Amino acid sequence: MANKVEAILEEIKGLTLLEAADLVKKMEETFGVSAAAAAPVMAAGGSAAAGAAPVEEKTEFSVVVTALREKKINVIKAVHEVTSLGLKEAKDLVDGAPKPVKEGVPKAEAEAIKKKFEDVGAKVEVK
């Protein structure tokens, strides 16, 4: 069993970023799970198990493109720069707005991304 897992891990290491993203997408579809949703569930479960822990200040934020004003191409280019998405995937994300562009980033980075998108003509929310 360990040899099989190691062999799969070695195969995954050899994938390009685009191939790895495609693999994650297909695994999510096949198994009916979401990699993005797993982290908050685990974090929430951990704090609930700890009992009445004090409320901590939020340290991770999501940047969500909510609408386009104009210059859609510039927004697509900004998505491409900020994420590891290709131009087609960036276009699909922009076309499907409102959608998160980047999740789990520090507040300073989220604000910088927000400013970049607002400069190119997109409405953005930091959640």
Side-chain angles (χ1 to χ4, degrees):
M1 174 103 174
N3 290 337
K4 188 175 185 180
V5 172
E6 291 298 321
I8 293 170
L9 182 61
E10 287 302 315
E11 187 71 27
I12 291 172
K13 286 181 183 179
L15 296 177
T16 66
L17 191 54
L18 191 56
E19 291 169 333
D22 188 43
L23 174 64
V24 169
K25 183 178 175 184
K26 288 183 180 180
M27 289 177 71
E28 289 175 341
E29 291 170 0
T30 301
F31 298 111
V33 297
S34 173
V41 170
M42 290 173 53
S47 64
V55 177
E56 295 182 24
E57 185 177 336
K58 188 173 180 179
T59 58
E60 292 185 347
F61 298 85
S62 296
V63 181
V64 179
V65 173
T66 56
L68 303 172
R69 293 186 200 120
E70 51 189 60
K71 300 182 182 177
K72 180 177 171 182
I73 292 174
N74 292 339
V75 177
I76 293 169
K77 288 179 183 177
V79 170
H80 176 65
E81 289 175 21
V82 170
T83 66
S84 59
L85 297 175
L87 288 173
K88 182 186 180 325
E89 291 82 9
K91 180 186 179 298
D92 292 344
L93 187 144
V94 171
D95 287 342
K99 285 216 173 172
V101 174
K102 198 141 188 184
E103 298 178 311
V105 296
K107 186 173 186 171
E109 184 179 348
E111 291 298 327
I113 293 170
K114 178 181 178 181
K115 180 172 178 3
K116 181 176 207 152
F117 279 90
E118 287 176 343
D119 290 347
V120 296
K123 287 188 179 181
V124 180
E125 288 182 8
V126 175
K127 295 182 178 183

